Every structure is written in C-alpha cells, then in structure tokens.
C-alpha cells in the first residue's frame, strides 16, 4: 500500500540556521508533490508544489527538492525564524484526480 | 477573497449522538474535499466532490457517515451515530478544476465522549 514517511521526531533548531525536513514515500509514483504548513488550530496552508520532472523549486527562503529515483523530497527553510515554527506536511498527488495523500507531518520549532 | 468557511469550530457530543459539519468553499471553487485529521497525523480524504457529484467517496465509512452538496456550493458532512473513535478534526478544502493547490478551512474539532 502507499506509504509516506516524514521526520518522525520534532525538529528543534536555532534561529538563523537552515531547517531540513524529509519526506519519503513507497508504492507510489506521484505526478507532483506539495508542501503545506499547519499552525495549531488551523487548516494546512499551501507553500510549494514540485512536479515529477523538476529537481528543485525555490520560493523566497524555501527550497524543495524532488528525487523520484530515491522517492524522496527535501524541504529547506534557510535563515529560519521563530515565526517558521509550525507543522509541515508533505502531500503526494496527480495520479488519482485531485486526491492528495498526506504524510503525518513534522513539527518544527525554531528557538531565538 | 474570503477563505473556506467551516462551522462549528468545536463540537462536543456523547457517543451515539448525531453530529453535522458545514462547509462553504471559496467562491468559484467547484471541487470540494472533506478530510479527517487525527492527532499527530496528516489529513485523510473522506470524500471529494466535483460540483454536486461525489467523485471519490471510497474512504467514507458509509455505515455512519454521509455527505451532501446539493447545489454544488456548500456541503454538509454528517455522522450518525458518532463513536469514540470519530474524535478528530474535520477539514474542508476547495480548489478549482485543474488546480492542484487545495485551500483549507480552519476545521471542526470534534470530541466524542
């Protein structure tokens, strides 16, 4: 069955450092992968989308890589800030209409 | 532009009671999704609508869950009767045809006692 694994442990980093979050998947060939941010008590908010034929995508301090051979995506936040503290979800999609399959999320905490 | 609206935000009920959640998607968004999110997990799709048609309800527990989107705009998700294991956050999302990005509402947090 399809499986998505994100960093199981919460990630604690110091302000100004780069946060790197991992998303691994099995038994799936997604057409695209998305990253969402979720704050406590709120719904997920879309951040970035990367397609299967793209290796890297950037948006301001965010960078996503996608390796379809390794079946892995890495999500980087450079020059991290306490305001970046949240849970980050990866989601795979594109092969079943608009259906997204989400990972369990990684909680990021950026300390000042 | 107003976002996805959900109500109520919180609901506490006793097991075996019915409960209903309401969602109003972003104006012009034809596709509507209902997800369930358990604590510490990602959202899991329950049902997806294209206008008023349910095009994917394979993950909806049909013995106790039902949903409708009669006029292709707002939608209601119902549980009857609720069980303890139904305690979760119920998220609604919407998108336009061909758009991969989904826009989520704040969710309804359900606690079944």
């Amino acid at each position: 069955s399809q499986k998505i694994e994100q960093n199981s442990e919460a990630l604690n980093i110091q302000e100004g450092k780069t946060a790197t979050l991992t998303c691994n998947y099995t038994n799936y060939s997604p057409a695209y992968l998305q990253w969402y941010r979720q704050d406590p008590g709120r719904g997920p908010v879309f951040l970035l989308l990367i397609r299967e034929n793209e290796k890297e995508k950037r948006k301001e301090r965010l960078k996503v890589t996608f390796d379809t051979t390794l079946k892995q995506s890495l999500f980087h936040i450079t020059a991290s800030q306490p305001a970046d503290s949240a849970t980050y979800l990866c989601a795979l999609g594109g092969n079943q209409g608009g259906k997204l399959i989400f990972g369990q999320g990684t909680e990021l905490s950026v300390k000042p | 532009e107003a976002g996805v609206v959900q109500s109520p935000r919180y609901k506490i009920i006793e097991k075996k009671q019915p409960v209903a959640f309401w969602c109003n998607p972003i104006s012009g968004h034809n596709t509507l999704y209902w997800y369930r999110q358990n604590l510490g997990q990602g959202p899991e799709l329950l049902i997806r609508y294209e206008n008023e048609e349910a095009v994917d309800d394979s993950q909806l527990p049909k013995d106790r869950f039902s949903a409708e989107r009669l006029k292709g705009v707002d939608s209601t998700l119902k549980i009857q009767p609720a069980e303890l294991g139904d305690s979760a956050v119920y998220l609604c999302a919407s998108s336009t045809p061909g758009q991969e990005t989904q826009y989520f509402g704040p969710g309804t947090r359900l606690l079944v006692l």
Side-chain angles (χ1 to χ4, degrees), chain A:
Chain A
S1 62
Q2 299 159 349
K3 190 174 181 181
I4 304 174
E5 287 286 341
Q6 296 188 241
N7 307 59
S8 55
E9 302 282 333
L11 188 60
N12 297 299
I13 65 169
Q14 206 67 31
E15 182 176 9
K17 301 293 185 183
T18 296
T20 299
L21 285 65
T22 304
C23 176
N24 294 296
Y25 60 93
T26 57
N27 298 324
Y28 199 76
S29 296
Y32 56 83
L33 184 148
Q34 301 184 20
W35 284 88
Y36 286 78
R37 169 183 173 143
Q38 188 172 26
D39 291 284
R42 295 179 177 268
V45 175
F46 171 78
L47 295 174
L48 280 170
L49 179 151
I50 187 165
R51 301 189 185 279
E52 60 179 337
N53 61 347
E54 297 175 313
K55 296 292 185 186
E56 182 179 299
K57 187 79 74 77
R58 292 175 185 260
K59 179 182 177 182
E60 298 173 351
R61 294 184 296 111
L62 308 180
K63 184 179 85 170
V64 174
T65 63
F66 194 11
D67 189 326
T68 55
T69 300
L70 290 178
K71 295 186 181 295
Q72 179 182 78
S73 175
L74 298 179
F75 178 78
H76 306 273
I77 306 175
T78 58
S80 61
Q81 304 166 1
D84 295 327
S85 298
T87 295
Y88 292 85
L89 298 158
C90 73
L92 307 181
N95 294 330
Q96 300 177 48
K99 181 175 181 177
L100 288 177
I101 301 175
F102 282 86
Q104 79 274 29
T106 297
E107 185 177 349
L108 172 67
S109 179
V110 181
K111 302 297 184 184

Side-chain angles (χ1 to χ4, degrees), chain B residues 23-42:
Chain B
C23 171
N24 195 33
I26 293 172
S27 177
H29 283 197
N30 299 333
T31 307
L32 184 145
Y33 311 79
W34 281 104
Y35 289 88
R36 177 169 58 191
Q37 185 173 26
N38 292 310
L39 190 64
Q41 300 298 315

Side-chain angles (χ1 to χ4, degrees), chain B residues 27-66:
Chain B
S27 177
H29 283 197
N30 299 333
T31 307
L32 184 145
Y33 311 79
W34 281 104
Y35 289 88
R36 177 169 58 191
Q37 185 173 26
N38 292 310
L39 190 64
Q41 300 298 315
E44 294 178 306
L45 181 70
L46 293 173
I47 189 168
R48 175 167 66 97
Y49 281 95
E50 295 288 349
N51 299 303
E52 60 273 3
E53 180 182 0
V55 296
D56 184 355
D57 63 355
S58 58
Q59 301 302 310
L60 190 72
K62 298 181 182 64
D63 56 336
R64 298 183 299 106
F65 286 66
S66 64

